[in-house]
Amino acid sequence: MGKLQRGAHIVWDWNGTLLHDIHAVIEATNASFAEIGLESITLERYRELYCVPVPKFYERLMGRLPTEAEWQVMDAVFHKHYWARAEGCGLADGAAELLAGRRAAGRTQSLLSLAPHEHLVPIVRRHGIEEHFVRIDGRMDASHAGKAERMVRHLDALGGVAAVERTVVIGDAVDDALAAAHVGARAVLYTGGSHSRGSLAEAGVPVVDSLAEAVEVAEQLAA
């Protein structure tokens, strides 16, 4: 079977990529800001400043890193408000159809997220798309570090489902591109989530405005 027939193995991001949750994120972020007296933030400013690890994002806003006590409060409040809203978030336009179509065509795909694993799996299941992934990995620890080392473990756990040179990460954050580069994979970044187009462009990988285009570019990169 030739390389074109096998196509790309896509490692999908969840929040801001497959799940269209950016407005829930903004509302939860502003609720956490209110707890320690920070001014609310607009979607545009959020997308310009957001970065991983998340405490660095708060440093950009506050001019200093939050104290451990502030961080604990903000993180807890954010997640309380976010998960109260996440149930009302839908998938990104065309996401379910893209996933089903790739699986039907014999393509493989997996999901790697910084969302807590115990929350991630049930919400993926409720959206009816769990069967389209050969593996789903959420965050299993308290670390808010980026995805690089998690990507290593994710690909190892896939057990050779795909060669790294035809693995493409699709996400909405520069951190997704950094994680891909860390393992020697490619990346495509999507503008529907946490970063502005300008911020994403700094990663030096293709930037797209729809998931359909992201998949098309991923297949080109893996060909």
Side-chain angles (χ1 to χ4, degrees), residues 28 74-84 114 116 119 139 144:
M74 294 166 80
D75 192 47
V77 173
F78 172 85
H79 283 99
K80 179 182 74 174
H81 285 275
Y82 174 77
W83 289 109
L114 295 179
H119 288 301
R139 179 165 54 85
H144 284 270

Side-chain angles (χ1 to χ4, degrees), residues 24-177:
V25 167
I26 296 298
E27 290 173 14
T29 297
N30 283 330
S32 72
F33 284 3
E35 289 287 322
I36 65 164
L38 282 179
E39 291 185 8
S40 61
I41 190 171
T42 63
L43 172 60
E44 291 71 25
R45 182 160 167 76
Y46 181 95
R47 283 177 162 162
E48 287 299 328
L49 296 178
Y50 182 74
C51 62
V52 175
V54 180
K56 292 290 290 181
F57 166 56
Y58 290 128
E59 182 181 27
R60 290 180 174 187
L61 287 164
M62 301 167 68
R64 61 175 175 81
L65 280 169
T67 66
E68 185 61 28
E70 287 172 331
W71 169 246
Q72 293 296 334
V73 169
M74 294 166 80
D75 192 47
V77 173
F78 172 85
H79 283 99
K80 179 182 74 174
H81 285 275
Y82 174 77
W83 289 109
R85 292 163 170 77
E87 294 297 327
C89 296
L91 296 178
D93 286 346
E97 294 79 7
L98 279 170
L99 294 170
R102 294 194 84 254
R103 177 167 169 254
R107 303 289 198 259
T108 58
Q109 50 207 343
S110 56
L111 180 59
L112 176 62
S113 174
L114 295 179
H117 191 77
E118 70 272 17
H119 288 301
L120 176 66
V121 173
I123 197 169
V124 170
R125 190 171 291 151
R126 283 195 293 276
H127 281 287
I129 58 174
E130 181 184 19
E131 64 184 357
H132 302 319
F133 303 107
V134 296
R135 184 174 180 87
I136 297 174
D137 283 321
R139 179 165 54 85
M140 301 285 283
D141 55 34
S143 169
H144 284 270
K147 277 187 180 172
E149 291 307 317
R150 301 176 202 274
M151 187 68 70
V152 173
R153 296 193 294 270
H154 182 73
L155 295 189
D156 284 348
L158 287 174
V161 163
V164 70
E165 61 267 19
R166 63 181 187 87
T167 296
V168 182
V169 177
I170 296 179
D172 70 313
V174 170
D175 186 58
D176 292 300

